Amino acid sequence: QVQLVESGGGLVQAGGSLRLSCAASGTMATITSMNWYRQIPGKDRELVARILSLLSPPASTEYADSVKGRFTLSMNRARNIMYLQMDNLRLEDTAVYYCKADTIYYPYEHWGQGTQVTVSS
């Protein structure tokens, strides 16, 4: 099993920055990829960024078009923490941000509890 805990959300003005963290624990050797999603009430969760091929390096990162050039995903493999550096935040970035780990064993997907990011004008 894998457990995920997000932190770092909060209230920030438009144009500002936040850094989210996702601390992972458990059977780390089964994780194939890790992801950041976000969700606005009444809408489906949206993939924001992900890192792939963790078991078959080199790993690669991908970003949603809406955040390219503003958000950066990174990982501290030694501490099992994934980060999402969010710069030049916009009002439309307001959402609950979730961390997800994909594993090679059931249940294949593991989610954190989410952290709220609110961008104000």
Side-chain angles (χ1 to χ4, degrees):
Q1 287 289 342
V2 172
Q3 295 79 41
L4 304 171
V5 178
E6 301 100 331
S7 60
L11 175 64
V12 63
Q13 286 192 322
S17 298
L18 280 175
R19 189 178 77 160
L20 305 183
S21 299
C22 172
S25 60
T27 315
M28 302 301 299
T30 66
I31 296 176
T32 59
S33 61
M34 292 190 70
N35 315 262
W36 284 104
Y37 281 77
R38 65 187 180 187
Q39 187 171 29
I40 300 169
K43 293 195 173 183
D44 292 336
R45 288 185 186 181
E46 170 194 24
L47 178 63
V48 175
R50 60 183 179 179
I51 182 166
L52 305 171
S53 301
L54 291 173
L55 297 182
S56 303
S60 60
T61 53
E62 297 179 348
Y63 298 91
D65 288 342
S66 58
V67 306
K68 277 181 184 176
R70 301 188 298 120
F71 291 10
T72 304
L73 185 156
S74 62
M75 285 200 69
N76 183 323
R77 299 293 298 268
R79 298 182 63 194
N80 296 327
I81 300 176
M82 178 175 66
Y83 299 101
L84 186 68
Q85 177 67 40
M86 305 187 295
D87 298 319
N88 192 20
L89 282 161
R90 304 170 179 169
L91 298 179
E92 55 264 36
D93 295 319
T94 295
V96 177
Y97 284 71
Y98 295 91
C99 171
K100 179 171 80 83
D102 301 310
T103 57
I104 57 175
Y105 296 119
Y106 182 87
Y108 305 117
E109 294 185 351
H110 307 260
W111 291 89
Q113 82 288 352
T115 185
Q116 176 72 47
V117 171
T118 303
V119 184
S120 65
S121 58

